[in-house]
Amino acid sequence: MTDRSDGTMSNEDAAARGDDTASNDDDDTIYFEDVEPGTVTRCGSTTILREEILEFAQEYDPLDIHTDPEAAAESPYGDVIASGYHTLSLSVRLLVDAARGDRAVIAGLGIDDVRWHAPVRPGDTLSVAFEILDTRPSESNPAAGIIHEAITVTNQDGETVLTLENNELVERREPADGAE
C-alpha cells in the first residue's frame, strides 16, 4: 500500500483492498492550489531483483558493472549494481503511484541536481519520499502553476542512494485573474 504522510491511499490502493468508494472523478484530482510547501510524502518502497538489474542494463545501460556478474565481481562493487537510470525509473514509478497519478500534471519541466550517492545492489529495498520546496503561479500560463520538489531515495539501511529536484507544471483549479 502507498504510504502517504497524510495517511490517505491512492485510488489504486483503495480498489485493490476492495474499497468501492474509490473513484477517478475530478473531485479526487490534486490541483496546484492543493499543494502546500513543506509537505513531505512517503511513496512506499520496492525491492530490486538481480534479474531486473541485468534486464534493464542490457537494454538501456550496458556497462559491465550492470550486465556482467564476472566483470562486476572484479570491480570495486564486488557484484553487479543497478544503473542509476534504473534507480531513477523505479523512483518515478513510486512517485506516480503515490502522488503524481492524482495530480493534475500538465508536463514535467525538468529535473535538477540528480545525484547518485551509493550503489544499488540486488535485493536492496528502495524507499522514496519527496518534499514540496515551493510553488508559484506560472508566469506564461495563468491556468497552471509550478511545483518544485526535492526527492530522496534511500535503501533498507536508511542510506541515501539518490537525490534530485523536480519541477512540474500543474493545472490550477481556477485560472488566475484575467485569464480566459
Side-chain angles (χ1 to χ4, degrees), residues 74-99:
E74 300 299 320
S75 77
Y77 306 110
D79 195 1
V80 293
I81 59 171
S83 164
Y85 300 102
H86 190 184
T87 304
L88 182 59
S89 296
L90 291 169
S91 302
V92 169
R93 178 56 194 248
L94 290 171
L95 287 161
V96 169
D97 287 350

mmCIF file of all heavy atoms in Angstrom, residues 74-99:
data_model
loop_
_atom_site.group_PDB
_atom_site.id
_atom_site.type_symbol
_atom_site.label_atom_id
_atom_site.label_comp_id
_atom_site.label_asym_id
_atom_site.label_seq_id
_atom_site.Cartn_x
_atom_site.Cartn_y
_atom_site.Cartn_z
ATOM 1 N N GLU A 74 34.955 -8.204 -10.160
ATOM 2 C CA GLU A 74 36.311 -7.651 -10.111
ATOM 3 C C GLU A 74 36.315 -6.136 -9.912
ATOM 4 O O GLU A 74 37.371 -5.541 -9.741
ATOM 5 C CB GLU A 74 37.056 -8.004 -11.407
ATOM 6 C CG GLU A 74 37.185 -9.494 -11.645
ATOM 7 C CD GLU A 74 37.967 -10.203 -10.547
ATOM 8 O OE1 GLU A 74 38.983 -9.640 -10.072
ATOM 9 O OE2 GLU A 74 37.559 -11.315 -10.147
ATOM 10 N N SER A 75 35.149 -5.520 -9.942
ATOM 11 C CA SER A 75 35.041 -4.068 -9.783
ATOM 12 C C SER A 75 35.081 -3.698 -8.302
ATOM 13 O O SER A 75 34.995 -4.578 -7.439
ATOM 14 C CB SER A 75 33.726 -3.578 -10.404
ATOM 15 O OG SER A 75 32.634 -3.862 -9.540
ATOM 16 N N PRO A 76 35.173 -2.430 -7.996
ATOM 17 C CA PRO A 76 35.129 -2.006 -6.591
ATOM 18 C C PRO A 76 33.821 -2.382 -5.889
ATOM 19 O O PRO A 76 33.764 -2.408 -4.664
ATOM 20 C CB PRO A 76 35.267 -0.483 -6.668
ATOM 21 C CG PRO A 76 35.871 -0.202 -7.993
ATOM 22 C CD PRO A 76 35.425 -1.314 -8.904
ATOM 23 N N TYR A 77 32.772 -2.704 -6.662
ATOM 24 C CA TYR A 77 31.465 -3.019 -6.081
ATOM 25 C C TYR A 77 31.337 -4.493 -5.709
ATOM 26 O O TYR A 77 30.475 -4.858 -4.911
ATOM 27 C CB TYR A 77 30.348 -2.616 -7.046
ATOM 28 C CG TYR A 77 30.478 -1.175 -7.460
ATOM 29 C CD1 TYR A 77 30.852 -0.842 -8.757
ATOM 30 C CD2 TYR A 77 30.277 -0.152 -6.546
ATOM 31 C CE1 TYR A 77 31.008 0.475 -9.135
ATOM 32 C CE2 TYR A 77 30.440 1.173 -6.919
ATOM 33 C CZ TYR A 77 30.806 1.484 -8.210
ATOM 34 O OH TYR A 77 30.978 2.784 -8.573
ATOM 35 N N GLY A 78 32.128 -5.363 -6.314
ATOM 36 C CA GLY A 78 32.120 -6.779 -5.983
ATOM 37 C C GLY A 78 30.954 -7.566 -6.551
ATOM 38 O O GLY A 78 30.872 -8.770 -6.377
ATOM 39 N N ASP A 79 30.053 -6.903 -7.217
ATOM 40 C CA ASP A 79 28.871 -7.542 -7.803
ATOM 41 C C ASP A 79 28.242 -6.532 -8.745
ATOM 42 O O ASP A 79 28.614 -5.346 -8.746
ATOM 43 C CB ASP A 79 27.874 -7.938 -6.705
ATOM 44 C CG ASP A 79 26.798 -8.915 -7.179
ATOM 45 O OD1 ASP A 79 26.812 -9.320 -8.360
ATOM 46 O OD2 ASP A 79 25.922 -9.265 -6.364
ATOM 47 N N VAL A 80 27.257 -6.975 -9.517
ATOM 48 C CA VAL A 80 26.537 -6.028 -10.366
ATOM 49 C C VAL A 80 25.817 -5.006 -9.476
ATOM 50 O O VAL A 80 25.441 -5.320 -8.340
ATOM 51 C CB VAL A 80 25.522 -6.717 -11.310
ATOM 52 C CG1 VAL A 80 26.227 -7.567 -12.336
ATOM 53 C CG2 VAL A 80 24.477 -7.487 -10.555
ATOM 54 N N ILE A 81 25.679 -3.826 -10.012
ATOM 55 C CA ILE A 81 24.896 -2.780 -9.355
ATOM 56 C C ILE A 81 23.899 -2.249 -10.373
ATOM 57 O O ILE A 81 24.101 -2.364 -11.578
ATOM 58 C CB ILE A 81 25.773 -1.630 -8.805
ATOM 59 C CG1 ILE A 81 26.589 -0.975 -9.931
ATOM 60 C CG2 ILE A 81 26.657 -2.129 -7.661
ATOM 61 C CD1 ILE A 81 27.309 0.294 -9.509
ATOM 62 N N ALA A 82 22.819 -1.676 -9.863
ATOM 63 C CA ALA A 82 21.792 -1.127 -10.747
ATOM 64 C C ALA A 82 22.300 0.126 -11.439
ATOM 65 O O ALA A 82 23.027 0.934 -10.842
ATOM 66 C CB ALA A 82 20.537 -0.796 -9.948
ATOM 67 N N SER A 83 21.905 0.293 -12.666
ATOM 68 C CA SER A 83 22.142 1.545 -13.367
ATOM 69 C C SER A 83 21.448 2.666 -12.597
ATOM 70 O O SER A 83 20.343 2.487 -12.066
ATOM 71 C CB SER A 83 21.548 1.452 -14.778
ATOM 72 O OG SER A 83 21.418 2.718 -15.362
ATOM 73 N N GLY A 84 22.086 3.815 -12.542
ATOM 74 C CA GLY A 84 21.451 4.963 -11.896
ATOM 75 C C GLY A 84 20.131 5.321 -12.552
ATOM 76 O O GLY A 84 19.183 5.755 -11.891
ATOM 77 N N TYR A 85 20.049 5.098 -13.865
ATOM 78 C CA TYR A 85 18.813 5.398 -14.582
ATOM 79 C C TYR A 85 17.706 4.408 -14.230
ATOM 80 O O TYR A 85 16.533 4.767 -14.227
ATOM 81 C CB TYR A 85 19.068 5.443 -16.092
ATOM 82 C CG TYR A 85 20.078 6.508 -16.417
ATOM 83 C CD1 TYR A 85 21.398 6.175 -16.685
ATOM 84 C CD2 TYR A 85 19.717 7.852 -16.386
ATOM 85 C CE1 TYR A 85 22.339 7.170 -16.939
ATOM 86 C CE2 TYR A 85 20.652 8.836 -16.639
ATOM 87 C CZ TYR A 85 21.959 8.497 -16.905
ATOM 88 O OH TYR A 85 22.880 9.471 -17.143
ATOM 89 N N HIS A 86 18.089 3.203 -13.888
ATOM 90 C CA HIS A 86 17.125 2.218 -13.413
ATOM 91 C C HIS A 86 16.572 2.666 -12.057
ATOM 92 O O HIS A 86 15.357 2.643 -11.820
ATOM 93 C CB HIS A 86 17.799 0.853 -13.315
ATOM 94 C CG HIS A 86 16.876 -0.282 -13.068
ATOM 95 N ND1 HIS A 86 17.337 -1.564 -12.872
ATOM 96 C CD2 HIS A 86 15.522 -0.370 -12.982
ATOM 97 C CE1 HIS A 86 16.309 -2.378 -12.670
ATOM 98 N NE2 HIS A 86 15.199 -1.670 -12.734
ATOM 99 N N THR A 87 17.474 3.090 -11.182
ATOM 100 C CA THR A 87 17.059 3.595 -9.866
ATOM 101 C C THR A 87 16.123 4.792 -10.033
ATOM 102 O O THR A 87 15.083 4.880 -9.374
ATOM 103 C CB THR A 87 18.296 3.988 -9.037
ATOM 104 O OG1 THR A 87 19.171 2.864 -8.945
ATOM 105 C CG2 THR A 87 17.903 4.455 -7.650
ATOM 106 N N LEU A 88 16.469 5.690 -10.929
ATOM 107 C CA LEU A 88 15.630 6.854 -11.191
ATOM 108 C C LEU A 88 14.259 6.427 -11.718
ATOM 109 O O LEU A 88 13.221 6.926 -11.269
ATOM 110 C CB LEU A 88 16.326 7.781 -12.189
ATOM 111 C CG LEU A 88 15.627 9.077 -12.546
ATOM 112 C CD1 LEU A 88 15.391 9.953 -11.325
ATOM 113 C CD2 LEU A 88 16.439 9.832 -13.585
ATOM 114 N N SER A 89 14.231 5.469 -12.640
ATOM 115 C CA SER A 89 12.960 4.995 -13.204
ATOM 116 C C SER A 89 12.073 4.343 -12.145
ATOM 117 O O SER A 89 10.860 4.595 -12.097
ATOM 118 C CB SER A 89 13.226 3.993 -14.329
ATOM 119 O OG SER A 89 13.891 4.614 -15.393
ATOM 120 N N LEU A 90 12.663 3.523 -11.291
ATOM 121 C CA LEU A 90 11.887 2.906 -10.205
ATOM 122 C C LEU A 90 11.314 3.972 -9.279
ATOM 123 O O LEU A 90 10.173 3.862 -8.811
ATOM 124 C CB LEU A 90 12.764 1.942 -9.408
ATOM 125 C CG LEU A 90 13.192 0.666 -10.123
ATOM 126 C CD1 LEU A 90 14.273 -0.047 -9.318
ATOM 127 C CD2 LEU A 90 12.006 -0.246 -10.362
ATOM 128 N N SER A 91 12.097 5.004 -9.040
ATOM 129 C CA SER A 91 11.659 6.087 -8.160
ATOM 130 C C SER A 91 10.472 6.838 -8.759
ATOM 131 O O SER A 91 9.511 7.162 -8.059
ATOM 132 C CB SER A 91 12.813 7.059 -7.917
ATOM 133 O OG SER A 91 13.910 6.389 -7.369
ATOM 134 N N VAL A 92 10.541 7.099 -10.058
ATOM 135 C CA VAL A 92 9.441 7.792 -10.727
ATOM 136 C C VAL A 92 8.162 6.976 -10.615
ATOM 137 O O VAL A 92 7.084 7.514 -10.364
ATOM 138 C CB VAL A 92 9.793 8.101 -12.197
ATOM 139 C CG1 VAL A 92 8.567 8.573 -12.971
ATOM 140 C CG2 VAL A 92 10.903 9.134 -12.263
ATOM 141 N N ARG A 93 8.270 5.668 -10.775
ATOM 142 C CA ARG A 93 7.071 4.824 -10.669
ATOM 143 C C ARG A 93 6.420 4.976 -9.288
ATOM 144 O O ARG A 93 5.199 5.117 -9.170
ATOM 145 C CB ARG A 93 7.434 3.355 -10.939
ATOM 146 C CG ARG A 93 6.258 2.410 -10.800
ATOM 147 C CD ARG A 93 5.126 2.867 -11.743
ATOM 148 N NE ARG A 93 3.883 2.225 -11.449
ATOM 149 C CZ ARG A 93 3.308 1.350 -12.265
ATOM 150 N NH1 ARG A 93 3.871 1.023 -13.400
ATOM 151 N NH2 ARG A 93 2.153 0.845 -11.944
ATOM 152 N N LEU A 94 7.238 4.949 -8.236
ATOM 153 C CA LEU A 94 6.689 5.112 -6.886
ATOM 154 C C LEU A 94 6.081 6.497 -6.705
ATOM 155 O O LEU A 94 5.043 6.649 -6.052
ATOM 156 C CB LEU A 94 7.771 4.841 -5.838
ATOM 157 C CG LEU A 94 8.205 3.378 -5.726
ATOM 158 C CD1 LEU A 94 9.431 3.253 -4.831
ATOM 159 C CD2 LEU A 94 7.079 2.498 -5.218
ATOM 160 N N LEU A 95 6.706 7.516 -7.277
ATOM 161 C CA LEU A 95 6.168 8.880 -7.199
ATOM 162 C C LEU A 95 4.806 8.989 -7.884
ATOM 163 O O LEU A 95 3.874 9.585 -7.348
ATOM 164 C CB LEU A 95 7.136 9.875 -7.843
ATOM 165 C CG LEU A 95 8.406 10.181 -7.069
ATOM 166 C CD1 LEU A 95 9.458 10.791 -7.994
ATOM 167 C CD2 LEU A 95 8.104 11.112 -5.912
ATOM 168 N N VAL A 96 4.700 8.393 -9.066
ATOM 169 C CA VAL A 96 3.425 8.445 -9.799
ATOM 170 C C VAL A 96 2.345 7.697 -9.027
ATOM 171 O O VAL A 96 1.224 8.192 -8.868
ATOM 172 C CB VAL A 96 3.584 7.884 -11.225
ATOM 173 C CG1 VAL A 96 2.230 7.678 -11.895
ATOM 174 C CG2 VAL A 96 4.455 8.816 -12.063
ATOM 175 N N ASP A 97 2.671 6.513 -8.527
ATOM 176 C CA ASP A 97 1.684 5.731 -7.789
ATOM 177 C C ASP A 97 1.222 6.446 -6.528
ATOM 178 O O ASP A 97 0.046 6.386 -6.169
ATOM 179 C CB ASP A 97 2.247 4.361 -7.412
ATOM 180 C CG ASP A 97 2.369 3.418 -8.604
ATOM 181 O OD1 ASP A 97 1.845 3.753 -9.692
ATOM 182 O OD2 ASP A 97 3.004 2.368 -8.434
ATOM 183 N N ALA A 98 2.119 7.144 -5.848
ATOM 184 C CA ALA A 98 1.789 7.777 -4.577
ATOM 185 C C ALA A 98 1.159 9.153 -4.707
ATOM 186 O O ALA A 98 0.327 9.525 -3.890
ATOM 187 C CB ALA A 98 3.042 7.894 -3.707
ATOM 188 N N ALA A 99 1.542 9.917 -5.724
ATOM 189 C CA ALA A 99 1.084 11.301 -5.752
ATOM 190 C C ALA A 99 0.790 11.836 -7.145
ATOM 191 O O ALA A 99 -0.257 12.428 -7.363
ATOM 192 C CB ALA A 99 2.125 12.201 -5.079
#
